[in-house]
Amino acid sequence: MKVFVTGGAGYIGSICVEQLINSGHDVVVFDNLSEGHQKAVDKRARFIEGCLSDRETIINSVVSNKSQIIMHFAANALVGESMVNPSKYFRNNVAYGINLLDAAIEGKVEKFVFSSTCATYGIPEVIPMSENLPLNPINPYGESKVIFEKLLQWYYKLHGLEFVALRYFNAAGASENFGEHHRIETHLIPNVLKVALGQSNQCKIFGTDYPTPDGTCIRDYIHILDLAQAHMLAMEKGKNGFFNLGNGEGYSVRQVIDTCEQISGTKIATVEESRRSGDPPRLIASAQKALEELNWNPKFGSLEKIIESAWAWHKKNPNGYNV
Ligand code: UDP
């Protein structure tokens, strides 16, 4: 199929693009390279450097490429940053995204696959978290995704634009060729592996007084290749709605650090810091709906496998996509 991918130069987008092309799809990547990297764009894809704020360009690009599917990864995605700069999140993730929705209508796109997040739920009352929980985000990042999900529902009702919103838990790991490189790294696993690589002296632990067994936050880490598989299943006709993507297992910050130590064979120095604003204590998915309705079949569920793949990529690419 002809797939139009926004944010295809970013971490999750680049690996989905690679997997889409490996499966025989024809891919156009649209990215403004503000967060992504030119080198992360699979050479077999057509690349358009552009911004979602440029309404004419985005509409022309979707229409002229006869796009059948849109996968929308382009977004700002940092909880902490969203707490200090909410305007950036509502502008880029919501306002400019409307241009892409209109492009989908103009181009008679068959399906819109949206990168959503477990941050839409806020602090869950029930663990593991199913799609039926109320959406009460506690940071502007999560709120921006809730609003976009609402827009998707209206565009479906009023224009018939079919959609799947995939609510990711914590995406991690790498494929052989593509991995996680943010210009300013805030994510746990790459930050811990930087210490293992000797690129930083210590890893910060944000909050040790959470109501969890070891006092640190618990997250459900999901391998990027398993996420990519879910995107391809979401493209299929008749599959619509909201799906959580996680492994149903939670690991604390300290457990992640311990596993990184084992896999890298390096002692990781840590420093305890206060809580990071906007962080819920515990997020664990129930992905039952995705398993049943998307026929999702995750293959790299263990934290060890996830971290092994990340470690292999970071060792091979110690400077990420910088030469
Ligand atoms: N975290 C940490 N040190 C870091 C980066 C993250 O302790 O250097 C914590 C963070 O506060 C959160 C968890 O690790 O509880 C996962 O954070 P990450 O930024 O990787 O993903 P998020 O859950 O925010 O999407």
Side-chain angles (χ1 to χ4, degrees):
M1 296 193 88
K2 288 184 181 297
V3 190
F4 188 90
V5 180
T6 73
Y11 168 46
I12 302 177
S14 64
I15 293 170
C16 285
V17 166
E18 175 192 39
Q19 299 302 310
L20 281 164
I21 298 174
N22 286 352
S23 303
H25 298 289
D26 183 354
V27 176
V28 174
V29 168
F30 187 92
D31 198 299
N32 67 1
L33 300 180
S34 66
E35 299 288 337
H37 309 267
Q38 175 90 57
K39 287 209 181 83
V41 180
D42 195 303
K43 290 200 171 54
R44 299 167 294 171
R46 186 174 161 225
F47 178 60
I48 301 171
E49 186 172 346
C51 188
L52 290 175
S53 59
D54 180 353
R55 185 172 169 87
E56 211 182 308
T57 302
I58 186 69
I59 293 179
N60 284 341
S61 303
V62 169
V63 172
S64 65
N65 282 292
K66 301 189 170 51
S67 314
Q68 295 167 286
I69 307 279
I70 289 180
M71 286 197 186
H72 181 30
F73 296 93
N76 294 114
L78 301 179
V79 166
E81 183 189 51
S82 81
M83 295 292 281
V84 290
N85 192 357
S87 157
K88 178 175 175 181
Y89 280 72
F90 293 121
R91 199 164 358 105
N92 291 341
N93 294 1
V94 181
Y96 296 157
I98 296 172
N99 293 331
L100 183 64
L101 288 171
D102 292 342
I105 303 309
E106 190 88 15
K108 301 189 172 48
V109 163
E110 292 165 27
K111 174 78 72 78
F112 195 104
V113 181
F114 177 55
S115 296
S116 192
T117 168
C118 61
T120 50
Y121 297 107
I123 298 175
E125 276 171 19
V126 182
I127 295 277
M129 298 154 68
S130 74
E131 293 80 359
N132 306 326
L133 287 180
L135 302 179
N136 292 314
I138 59 164
N139 50 63
Y141 165 59
E143 186 74 75
S144 73
K145 294 285 182 174
V146 171
I147 299 172
F148 202 83
E149 286 189 352
K150 289 201 172 135
L151 296 179
L152 284 171
Q153 292 174 83
W154 282 111
Y155 273 67
Y156 173 65
K157 254 189 217 156
L158 302 176
H159 293 293
L161 176 62
E162 299 210 355
F163 73 88
V164 170
L166 298 172
R167 293 180 181 148
Y168 313 155
F169 282 63
N170 285 58
S175 73
E176 219 176 295
N177 299 313
F178 299 102
E180 187 165 12
H181 174 193
H182 299 105
R183 288 185 184 82
I184 297 174
E185 191 52 78
T186 63
H187 293 99
L188 180 61
I189 293 176
N191 272 346
V192 178
L193 295 179
K194 269 184 191 211
V195 183
L197 281 171
Q199 295 177 342
S200 63
N201 296 332
Q202 58 194 14
C203 168
K204 294 177 178 166
I205 299 179
F206 295 127
T208 53
D209 58 349
Y210 284 100
T212 61
D214 69 16
T216 65
C217 280
I218 290 178
R219 294 288 181 272
D220 182 340
Y221 294 87
I222 157 134
H223 199 292
I224 190 87
L225 289 174
D226 287 332
L227 273 190
Q229 186 211 118
H231 285 76
M232 278 182 276
L233 295 166
M235 286 166 50
E236 292 172 12
K237 265 207 163 56
K239 296 188 174 167
N240 297 299
F242 304 95
F243 297 91
N244 289 344
L245 297 177
N247 284 309
E249 298 264 357
Y251 295 95
S252 72
V253 171
R254 288 196 199 278
Q255 285 175 311
V256 169
I257 295 170
D258 289 348
T259 310
C260 289
E261 278 192 340
Q262 281 161 26
I263 285 165
S264 66
T266 314
K267 178 91 195 120
I268 310 286
T270 57
V271 56
E272 294 183 5
E273 303 264 332
S274 51
R275 293 182 178 195
R276 192 174 70 176
S277 149
D279 272 346
R282 184 194 295 256
L283 297 169
I284 302 174
S286 159
Q288 206 52 38
K289 188 176 175 214
L291 297 170
E292 284 168 13
E293 294 183 22
L294 292 181
N295 298 322
W296 185 46
N297 177 21
K299 298 201 162 67
F300 309 99
S302 77
L303 184 64
E304 284 78 12
K305 279 200 176 133
I306 293 170
I307 294 178
E308 272 167 17
S309 72
W311 178 233
W313 192 79
H314 285 288
K315 263 198 309 188
K316 201 164 124 198
N317 305 279
N319 300 314
Y321 293 111
N322 298 338
V323 205

